[in-house]
């Protein structure tokens, strides 16, 4: 695509700005900021990726993955502020996910050990993990808050912290996983996934594009399950002390 | 009072929450096999005091002894089975009355025999057909009865009841009052209960603790509420305090 063609595509930005102004939605400023930021961020990432792909240096690949994990942790922790030590719990979960998925992909030689594969796949894994962590923490804090009486009841009858929080934990894990599972049921029927569409537009063989997309879908299923379960089991013990007393969330 | 064994003893107990001094230097005893009523205005620290006895909370300073043994030496699970608590709103888990009665056993990976469950229901004055009823279909009084029956599954030696009659109608209140006396007599369980109704405290309790602003103002036989010594308690009894 030429730069001129991309510039003409800005029509798709002018349409929402025009509509926002016409219907007094007040979203012109936010839309403009979002577009400017995405242009700058994506071009910056594009140049960085080009540099990393050219050098094929493991250190740069490692640094890029670290940046992704730090940024994702920073974003997700806002939803779990009520849980003590949530930052390192999210970071540990994201690191574990990244190590697990890359170990399987590279260990079984499913994908080549090159920056061109490692970085985009890491981005998808870490990004999806971050969304799952946000969904989980959002639901978990609200479940814990609204079921304090049940938690106290089970403790008062001689239950352990794990028993006292079990229902809230399972409900939150399931709730955070459902969007991933549901969206996969209609994939290809309702929407064509972005990665696959991108590959097809770039001229790749559609079957190969489908194969890569399926790989990503499988990865996202693992990410969904492992992220919510791991984060859940790391988070719930901080809601109790050694005397098995329920600590109110901060 | 001196001849009775102490079921629970508080020694200079203080409890803070969010920098608020909830319980101030509490010292006193509850005696085995007796019923003690905790009375006092809202915010006096009565519920907190019960939760300290059951280990749902721990004091910031001072000691609590259960059966002359420091509460800290009990395993939390062992303590909570020995000192049962009926919580204020009688919280239930989703499901039937049986599910709720069986909960203390389920938590130990054991089953509650149906006959035991029926006997418990009979003890609290509910017919056996309630066993398979959904807890959402129970009235306030029935929920409180199920809650008490559920606490009895662990065979507690001490039973703490947190304002269990406050939201009940007159008839349910009376039934629960009779139930408290029955449990105390049948199982020789030490009962400490919170009530806002002074007449209830006099009729049911052997002893009374009057609490205000985190302090125990006056204790003694429950008849003291008829002629208290402390000026604040006199005002409280006259209804001049909340």
């Amino acid at each position: 695509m030429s730069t001129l063609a991309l510039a003409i595509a800005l029509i798709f930005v002018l349409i929402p700005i025009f509509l926002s102004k016409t219907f007094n939605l007040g979203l012109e400023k936010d839309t403009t900021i979002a577009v400017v930021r995405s242009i700058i961020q994506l071009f910056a990432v594009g140049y960085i990726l080009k540099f990393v792909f050219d050098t094929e240096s493991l250190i740069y690949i490692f640094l890029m993955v670290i940046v992704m994990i730090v940024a994702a942790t920073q974003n997700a922790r806002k939803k779990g502020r009520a849980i003590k030590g949530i930052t390192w719990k999210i970071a540990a979960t994201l690191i574990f996910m990244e190590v697990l998925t890359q170990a399987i992909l590279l260990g079984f030689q499913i994908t080549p050990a090159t920056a061109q594969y490692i970085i985009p796949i890491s981005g998808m894994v870490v990004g999806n993990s971050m969304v799952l962590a946000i969904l989980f923490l959002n639901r978990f804090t609200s479940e814990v808050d609204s079921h304090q009486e049940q938690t106290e009841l089970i403790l008062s009858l001689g239950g352990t912290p794990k028993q006292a929080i079990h229902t809230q934990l399972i409900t939150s894990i399931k709730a955070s996983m459902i969007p991933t599972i549901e969206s996969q049921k209609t994939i290809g029927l309702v929407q064509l996934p972005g990665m696959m569409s991108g590959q097809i537009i770039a001229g790749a063989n559609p079957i190969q594009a489908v194969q890569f997309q399926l790989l990503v879908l499988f990865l996202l299923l693992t990410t969904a399950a492992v992220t919510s379960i791991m984060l859940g089991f790391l988070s719930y013990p901080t809601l109790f002390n050694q005397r098995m007393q329920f600590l109110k969330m901060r | 009072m001196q001849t009775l064994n102490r079921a629970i003893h508080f020694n200079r107990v203080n409890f803070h929450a969010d920098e608020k001094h909830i319980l101030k230097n509490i010292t006193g005893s509850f005696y085995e096999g007796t019923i003690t009523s905790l009375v006092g205005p809202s915010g006096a620290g009565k519920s907190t005091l019960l939760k300290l006895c059951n280990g749902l909370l721990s004091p910031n300073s001072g000691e609590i002894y259960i059966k002359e043994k420091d509460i800290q030496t009990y395993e939390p699970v062992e303590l909570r089975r020995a000192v049962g608590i009926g919580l204020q709103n009688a919280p239930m888990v989703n499901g039937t009355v049986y599910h709720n009665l069986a909960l203390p056993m389920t938590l130990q990976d054991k089953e509650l025999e149906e006959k035991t469950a029926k006997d418990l229901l009979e003890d609290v004055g509910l017919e056996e057909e309630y066993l398979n009823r959904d807890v959402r279909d129970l009235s306030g009084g029935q929920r409180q009865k199920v809650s008490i029956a559920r606490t009895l599954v662990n065979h507690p030696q001490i039973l703490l009841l947190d304002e269990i009659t406050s939201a009940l109608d007159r008839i349910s209140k009376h039934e629960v009052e009779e139930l408290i006396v029955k449990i105390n007599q049948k199982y020789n369980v030490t009962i400490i209960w919170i009530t806002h109704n002074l007449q209830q405290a006099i009729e049911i309790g052997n002893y009374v603790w009057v609490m205000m602003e985190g302090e125990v103002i006056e204790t003694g036989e429950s008849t003291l509420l008829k002629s208290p010594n402390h000026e604040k308690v006199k005002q409280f009894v006259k209804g001049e305090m909340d």
Side-chain angles (χ1 to χ4, degrees):
Chain A
M1 185 190 281
S2 69
T3 311
L4 177 66
L6 186 62
I8 293 169
L10 281 173
I11 290 169
F12 294 118
V13 176
L14 294 175
I15 291 170
I17 292 175
F18 170 75
L19 289 174
S20 173
K21 219 171 170 60
T22 308
F23 292 101
N24 286 325
L25 301 179
L27 293 172
E28 304 92 283
K29 194 181 166 192
D30 278 342
T31 310
T32 312
I33 290 171
V35 169
V36 171
R37 276 189 66 163
S38 57
I39 292 170
I40 295 169
Q41 284 165 201
L42 284 179
F43 270 113
V45 167
Y47 282 113
I48 292 168
L49 286 178
K50 189 175 180 312
F51 171 74
V52 175
F53 290 174
D54 289 345
T55 58
E56 275 297 341
S57 159
L58 270 180
I59 292 171
Y60 288 126
I61 296 173
F62 183 74
L63 279 176
M64 279 217 68
V65 173
I66 292 291
V67 168
M68 286 174 193
I69 290 172
V70 170
T73 304
Q74 279 297 112
N75 199 25
R77 67 193 282 264
K78 292 172 202 157
K79 287 289 173 194
R81 275 190 187 137
I83 297 166
K84 205 176 156 193
I86 194 61
T87 307
W88 78 259
K89 290 179 174 68
I90 296 170
T93 306
L94 297 181
I95 291 167
F96 179 77
M97 275 316 309
E98 172 65 10
V99 171
L100 176 76
T101 51
Q102 292 298 345
I104 293 171
L105 291 173
L106 301 179
F108 288 102
Q109 296 181 328
I110 298 169
T111 53
T114 61
Q116 193 186 343
Y117 285 89
I118 294 174
I119 292 173
I121 289 173
S122 298
M124 284 184 268
V125 167
V126 174
N128 196 55
S129 261
M130 177 192 75
V131 173
L132 257 296
I134 290 171
L135 286 174
F136 170 79
L137 291 170
N138 213 13
R139 183 67 183 257
F140 187 58
T141 48
S142 123
E143 284 286 321
V144 169
D145 198 41
S146 60
H147 291 85
Q148 291 188 25
E149 276 195 337
Q150 270 89 343
T151 307
E152 209 160 50
L153 165 72
I154 291 172
L155 291 176
S156 77
L157 291 170
T160 61
K162 193 176 167 189
Q163 289 171 323
I165 211 78
H166 182 260
T167 309
Q168 295 89 307
L169 191 60
I170 297 301
T171 306
S172 312
I173 289 172
K174 278 169 81 174
S176 58
M177 285 176 66
I178 284 170
T180 305
I181 297 169
E182 287 302 315
S183 71
Q184 297 206 1
K185 284 184 188 167
T186 56
I187 210 150
L189 295 173
V190 180
Q191 82 272 35
L192 286 179
M195 182 191 176
M196 194 174 104
S197 308
Q199 277 189 302
I200 294 170
I201 290 167
N205 176 347
I207 299 301
Q208 201 185 21
V210 166
Q211 282 177 337
F212 266 102
Q213 189 59 52
L214 282 174
L215 169 69
V216 171
L217 295 186
F218 300 158
L219 271 178
L220 297 190
L221 274 180
T222 289
T223 311
V226 177
T227 302
S228 3
I229 292 171
M230 185 171 165
L231 196 54
F233 280 84
L234 285 177
S235 299
Y236 91 80
T238 55
L239 300 174
F240 302 88
N241 64 16
Q242 282 196 321
R243 295 291 299 165
M244 295 190 185
Q245 291 161 346
F246 179 51
L247 308 168
K248 301 278 183 278
M249 286 191 295
R250 287 180 295 174
Chain B
M1 202 188 280
Q2 282 76 10
T3 54
L4 294 170
N5 293 324
R6 296 189 301 198
I8 302 178
H9 178 65
F10 278 70
N11 182 31
R12 287 189 245 168
V13 169
N14 285 281
F15 181 81
H16 302 257
D18 300 328
E19 294 172 21
K20 205 174 157 200
H21 203 163
I22 310 271
L23 290 178
K24 299 167 189 166
N25 218 22
I26 305 287
T27 297
S29 305
F30 298 101
Y31 295 95
E32 278 184 4
T34 63
I35 301 176
T36 305
S37 311
L38 290 187
V39 299
S42 303
K46 304 183 293 292
S47 297
T48 305
L49 189 133
L50 288 196
K51 286 181 180 174
L52 287 174
C53 299
N54 177 258
L56 285 175
L57 296 171
S58 289
N60 296 91
S61 66
E63 299 93 41
I64 300 170
Y65 296 91
I66 308 287
K67 303 255 174 191
E68 306 296 344
K69 209 174 125 187
D70 190 338
I71 201 166
Q72 294 293 326
T73 62
Y74 284 88
E75 281 297 316
V77 168
E78 174 202 5
L79 173 68
R80 288 165 193 169
R81 286 184 190 147
V83 184
I85 186 166
L87 296 167
Q88 197 169 359
N89 300 320
M92 296 279 143
V93 293
N94 292 338
T96 62
V97 168
Y98 176 79
H99 280 126
N100 276 274
L101 289 180
L103 185 59
M105 301 299 279
T106 315
L107 294 172
Q108 301 172 58
D109 289 325
K110 292 178 187 166
E111 272 190 39
L112 179 72
E113 283 183 21
E114 199 172 307
K115 188 181 174 310
T116 315
K118 284 177 181 170
D119 289 347
L120 281 164
L121 280 187
E122 195 191 329
D123 269 352
V124 298
L126 288 174
E127 288 146 19
E128 62 180 58
E129 49 260 38
Y130 277 92
L131 207 57
N132 294 315
R133 194 167 287 192
D134 193 305
V135 287
R136 286 174 296 188
D137 299 331
L138 298 179
S139 68
Q142 289 163 345
R143 277 172 75 99
Q144 283 298 355
K145 286 176 180 176
V146 172
S147 167
I148 293 170
R150 183 175 57 193
T151 316
L152 294 176
V153 173
N154 279 333
H155 304 293
Q157 295 153 307
I158 299 166
L159 185 58
L160 315 165
L161 303 169
D162 189 355
E163 284 193 52
I164 58 167
T165 59
S166 59
L168 304 185
D169 59 53
R170 198 174 52 82
I171 296 169
S172 303
K173 240 178 215 172
H174 184 65
E175 285 173 357
V176 173
E177 284 167 12
E178 284 182 337
L179 176 60
I180 292 169
V181 175
K182 184 180 165 186
I183 292 167
N184 168 249
Q185 288 170 355
K186 184 173 175 183
Y187 299 103
N188 195 31
V189 175
T190 307
I191 295 178
I192 305 164
W193 78 308
I194 297 174
T195 178
H196 278 288
N197 186 324
L198 299 183
Q199 198 52 40
Q200 274 187 329
I202 294 168
E203 283 171 11
I204 296 170
N206 304 108
Y207 300 103
V208 66
W209 281 31
V210 186
M211 293 183 69
M212 286 175 196
E213 293 169 353
E215 289 178 278
V216 177
I217 305 290
E218 203 163 348
T219 63
E221 293 188 5
S222 55
T223 47
L224 86 76
L225 291 173
K226 289 179 182 169
S227 52
N229 298 316
H230 199 284
E231 201 49 46
K232 279 184 177 175
V233 181
K234 283 179 187 168
Q235 285 177 22
F236 174 68
V237 168
K238 282 183 195 163
E240 291 168 4
M241 284 183 181
D242 173 29

